[in-house]
Amino acid sequence: MAAVPIEESVDIARKCWIKFKKESILALYTPFIVCLASGTLKLETFQHYIAQDSYFLKAFAKAYEAAEECTDDDDAKVGINELRKNVIEELKMHDTVIQEWGFDLAKQSTANPATVKYTDFLLATASGKIEGVKAAKLATPFERTKLAAYILGAMIPCMRLCAYLGKEMHVFLESEATHPYQKWIDSYASEGFQGLTLQNEELLDKLSVSLTGEELDVIEKLYQQAMKLELGFFLAQPIDQKSVIPLSREHSPAEHRLVIFFNFDLTCAVVDSSAILAELAIMSAPKSGENQPENQLVRMLSADLRSTWEHLSKQYTEEYEQCIETMLLTEKAENFDYERLHKALEQLSDFEKRANLRVTESGVLKGMNLEDIKRAGERLILQDGCNNFFQSITQNEQLNADIHVLSYCWCGDLMRSAFSSGGLDVLNVHANELIFEENLSTGEIVKEVESPIDKVQAFSKILNSCSNDKKNLTVYVGDSVGDLLCLLQADIGIVLSPSLNLSKVGNHFGVSFIPLFPGIIEKQKVFAAGNSSCWTEPSSVLYTVSSWAEIHAFILGS
């Protein structure tokens, strides 16, 4: 196979980090890291971690030595040698910490299984034992240089993950007068360690320039395996204390019912469902000059339908923005004011109902085939990690969880098809419904959930219908202004990539938005102080996330 062009082979480390970022998020949300960042981690657990980390560093030193021997590039040899020396210095830092804190490593003399898995994997890679790569191929100097790249591909995930975790944890040191693990966190967040990580990545890019696409795939597989083993390492740290995550751990199925609500458009689906339905209507509408079938609904021509839809869409956007601006003209709340927010959103609700009435009167939804809608739903792309999250919940029979979709979508069948195609027939869909006659839509809508007020009323109705034999722990995931009331009514409101209008309206009425991970750290401190009901207390705080991976890690763990 011919070597790939240089511009395609560089930045392999960055590309792998982005591709396997989910594992880094799962590692960040482990009980060990949360307790460490909050300063509540028991000293015995930290001692165990240091002992295990020492095994890692010794394996790293051997791997660097093997990589240095393999490469025939003088500059790369010098760089790898410097990196090996830094590992030796880091081992000395371990010794310093051990002496300062009086650790007895004799009690921690055995590597745990998770540590052994990574070190065995790393040392096997360093010796050329790589799945899919024949040792005989590594005989020549040119071929052996590839092994140096493979070795770095197996090492860098550990470095980059520690650098990432160090940076994420370091922000919590600023609000603490003293933090028991400040020195340790400082070391991984330092410019020196961040620079070492980057130096490793640049070396990998340099050694990868002449590799073929197949050989780059080997590096990617090694990188992915290393990330999974690193995640396993953090999960394996023995935590002899309670933590606020994962939420499901503290959830007792015998006593509690976990009720998860979420919005559909843009929270779960990557595109707005109204645009999908409109496009489907336009594509299936008769073209100019075509004869419409007898005994069927008379429909607008495709061109007229597109023009009408564009007008409706433009009118909706303009009036929606005007409605938001009108809400923001009122006096800004000094403190959280739910009643004023509710009253403001009543205006938005009136607007949404008027907009839906214009849609039904226009006839743009008339004549669509139900089977076409279902097929469109099956092809609908969901946000990365969304489907996996709900599958993990529905497949866990011990969790005792209910899942409800609350959506303005005009057609519940579209959503049901989207979920059923992913094996999620058990989700409860609460939305509007198109009316069909002989499988063709009449253009009329059974209006159930049209507005923010409808949503929060449906939210309350669902909870009221639950039996009283268990306590409800509610989570709502949304992204828009229409979700605000439900987000605030839930025990835990999570905002996925909040829209600008959601942030503006929420802030105007005293709602606070906090990134989920820092919020968890603060909850862990409260939890460690003895408050076991920290998630169910009334709050005006909403937690922001950038992906479903964060939600998965928070609720279900890794």
Side-chain angles (χ1 to χ4, degrees), residues 345-373:
L345 289 176
E346 289 175 5
Q347 301 174 36
L348 185 62
S349 295
D350 291 339
F351 156 74
E352 295 283 7
K353 291 177 185 293
R354 291 196 303 272
N356 277 346
L357 183 60
R358 287 199 295 264
V359 169
T360 55
E361 290 178 344
S362 72
V364 293
L365 300 179
K366 184 185 294 185
M368 286 187 291
N369 189 289
L370 177 59
E371 296 307 314
D372 290 341
I373 291 174

Side-chain angles (χ1 to χ4, degrees), residues 249-269:
R249 175 179 292 180
E250 297 305 315
H251 166 74
S252 171
E255 300 176 10
H256 305 109
R257 180 187 298 105
L258 180 61
V259 189
I260 299 176
F261 299 86
F262 67 100
N263 179 44
F264 184 73
D265 291 334
L266 304 183
T267 299
C268 189

Side-chain angles (χ1 to χ4, degrees), residues 4-53:
V4 297
I6 289 177
E7 63 269 19
E8 292 184 15
S9 62
V10 296
D11 291 338
I12 181 67
R14 180 180 62 85
K15 291 175 182 176
C16 284
W17 172 251
I18 293 171
K19 185 170 184 178
F20 305 116
K21 188 69 183 291
K22 178 184 176 182
E23 278 74 19
S24 66
I25 293 173
L26 294 175
L28 182 67
Y29 280 79
T30 55
F32 173 77
I33 292 297
V34 167
C35 290
L36 178 64
S38 66
T40 64
L41 185 71
K42 286 187 177 181
L43 183 57
E44 294 81 2
T45 304
F46 188 63
Q47 290 174 342
H48 181 273
Y49 163 73
I50 287 183
Q52 299 303 311
D53 199 37

Side-chain angles (χ1 to χ4, degrees), residues 67 144-154 204 207-208 211 219 222:
R144 283 174 59 79
T145 298
K146 297 177 185 177
L147 179 56
Y150 294 158
I151 294 170
L152 288 178
L204 176 59
L207 294 171
S208 300
L211 299 190
I219 291 178
L222 290 169

Side-chain angles (χ1 to χ4, degrees), residues 119-164:
T119 54
D120 282 355
F121 158 74
L122 185 57
L123 295 176
T125 303
S127 67
K129 297 176 183 178
I130 303 167
E131 185 179 352
V133 178
K134 294 182 180 179
K137 288 187 176 182
L138 303 172
T140 67
F142 178 73
E143 295 291 338
R144 283 174 59 79
T145 298
K146 297 177 185 177
L147 179 56
Y150 294 158
I151 294 170
L152 288 178
M155 297 173 72
I156 285 173
C158 179
M159 297 281 291
R160 175 50 64 192
L161 181 58
C162 288
Y164 165 74

Side-chain angles (χ1 to χ4, degrees), residues 149-338:
Y150 294 158
I151 294 170
L152 288 178
M155 297 173 72
I156 285 173
C158 179
M159 297 281 291
R160 175 50 64 192
L161 181 58
C162 288
Y164 165 74
L165 295 175
K167 279 288 189 182
E168 292 293 318
M169 290 190 287
H170 194 262
V171 297
F172 305 110
L173 301 182
E174 299 171 2
S175 60
E176 296 285 340
T178 59
H179 191 290
Y181 306 111
Q182 177 169 351
K183 185 175 181 179
W184 197 259
I185 294 173
D186 278 340
S187 68
Y188 285 114
S190 68
E191 291 184 5
F193 189 81
Q194 300 290 324
L196 282 174
T197 303
L198 184 59
Q199 190 177 345
N200 271 271
E201 292 171 334
E202 289 174 344
L203 265 173
L204 176 59
D205 291 340
K206 178 182 177 68
L207 294 171
S208 300
V209 165
S210 61
L211 299 190
T212 66
E214 184 179 349
E215 289 158 351
L216 290 174
D217 287 344
V218 172
I219 291 178
E220 184 176 301
K221 290 176 182 177
L222 290 169
Y223 197 107
Q224 181 181 22
Q225 189 173 356
M227 284 291 284
K228 290 181 177 179
L229 290 170
E230 266 290 288
L231 173 59
F233 172 75
F234 285 111
L235 287 170
Q237 300 308 308
I239 300 290
D240 185 24
Q241 63 187 99
K242 288 189 175 182
S243 67
V244 290
I245 64 165
L247 194 66
S248 58
R249 175 179 292 180
E250 297 305 315
H251 166 74
S252 171
E255 300 176 10
H256 305 109
R257 180 187 298 105
L258 180 61
V259 189
I260 299 176
F261 299 86
F262 67 100
N263 179 44
F264 184 73
D265 291 334
L266 304 183
T267 299
C268 189
V270 299
V271 293
D272 191 279
S273 61
S274 60
I276 294 173
L277 290 168
E279 190 62 26
L280 187 61
I282 292 167
M283 295 298 291
S284 62
K287 309 298 186 292
S288 179
E290 288 183 359
N291 293 322
Q292 297 195 37
E294 296 182 7
N295 303 323
Q296 283 195 9
L297 296 167
V298 178
R299 302 182 65 186
M300 278 191 285
L301 296 178
S302 178
D304 295 335
L305 191 56
R306 185 175 293 279
S307 176
T308 302
W309 170 251
E310 288 175 353
H311 172 72
L312 288 170
S313 182
K314 181 180 178 182
Q315 185 178 8
Y316 177 88
T317 300
E318 291 175 352
E319 292 186 10
Y320 180 85
E321 292 298 330
Q322 290 173 5
C323 190
I324 296 295
E325 289 303 316
T326 300
M327 293 165 61
L328 298 176
L329 289 175
T330 60
E331 184 179 355
K332 191 177 187 299
E334 294 184 6
N335 300 302
F336 176 53
D337 194 329
Y338 182 85

